[in-house]
């Protein structure tokens, strides 16, 4: 179970964000387009300057989910989840205030329930038995 025991070291929070950007490549997909990140700091601190950071598409964001993950190294979690959802990775280019194209590679077309399931499976060790079907928007057993 993912309940903190006395000697557990909290190793991070997986957070899922929705962009509040009005950008034409974001707006129509807002409900299914999510940023998946991991932080060891409070999520609110992490996203405080979202509208100034390319990784947040230079727009405010809304936290739609947070999952505490214990005893799995935080960096590995992010790498694993990003690789897992790679088939659904969004390629979004946005111009920054200087007119330069910036790209964020941490946004995925994945519904929140699939992301939650992936975190649950990461914790219980069954993620490797599955794959993310980007067309269906669902986690499926590996064939």
């Amino acid at each position: 179970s993912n309940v903190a025991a006395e000697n557990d070291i909290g190793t991070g929070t997986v957070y899922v964000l929705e962009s509040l950007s009005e950008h034409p490549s974001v707006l129509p997909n807002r409900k299914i387009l999510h940023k998946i990140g991991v932080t060891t700091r409070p999520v609110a601190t992490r996203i405080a300057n979202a509208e100034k950071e390319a990784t947040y598409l230079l727009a405010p964001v809304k936290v739609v989910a947070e999952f505490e993950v214990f005893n799995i190294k935080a960096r590995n979690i992010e790498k694993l989840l990003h690789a897992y959802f790679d088939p659904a990775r969004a390629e979004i280019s946005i111009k920054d205030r200087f007119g330069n194209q910036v790209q964020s590679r941490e946004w995925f077309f994945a519904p929140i329930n699939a992301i939650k399931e992936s975190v649950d499976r990461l914790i219980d060790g069954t993620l490797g038995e599955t794959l993310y079907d980007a067309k269906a928007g669902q986690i499926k057993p590996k064939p």
Side-chain angles (χ1 to χ4, degrees):
S1 78
N2 196 30
V3 178
E6 287 297 320
N7 57 355
D8 255 343
I9 301 158
T11 38
T13 302
V14 176
Y15 61 91
V16 184
L17 306 177
E18 183 183 300
S19 176
L20 301 179
S21 170
E22 299 289 323
H23 192 276
S25 64
V26 176
L27 196 55
N29 303 305
R30 187 178 278 174
K31 288 294 168 211
I32 190 144
L33 180 69
H34 293 111
K35 180 184 193 312
I36 303 170
V38 179
T39 184
T40 50
R41 298 187 296 161
V43 177
T45 308
R46 184 72 193 84
I47 66 174
N49 293 310
E51 51 277 11
K52 295 189 180 70
E53 294 185 45
T55 190
Y56 301 111
L57 309 177
L58 306 172
V61 291
K62 179 169 101 186
V63 179
V64 289
E66 289 183 41
F67 311 105
E68 289 238 36
V69 181
F70 297 95
N71 299 335
I72 306 173
K73 290 214 171 37
R75 260 201 316 275
N76 300 357
I77 299 169
E78 191 166 85
K79 215 180 276 177
L80 273 165
L81 291 175
H82 287 181
Y84 187 78
F85 285 103
D86 189 62
R89 195 183 294 263
E91 297 291 341
I92 299 172
S93 274
I94 286 185
K95 280 190 170 63
D96 68 13
R97 60 199 177 96
F98 304 111
N100 303 316
Q101 289 288 91
V102 291
Q103 215 164 11
S104 175
R105 298 187 39 77
E106 298 187 354
W107 292 82
F108 302 86
F109 293 105
I112 192 69
N113 54 342
I115 299 170
K116 181 185 183 331
E117 184 183 339
S118 74
V119 175
D120 289 342
R121 287 180 174 279
L122 187 67
I123 291 163
D124 72 16
T126 61
L127 190 66
E129 299 163 21
T130 64
L131 45 81
Y132 181 64
D133 181 333
K135 279 202 173 62
Q138 287 175 330
I139 288 177
K140 304 242 170 110
K142 274 189 178 159

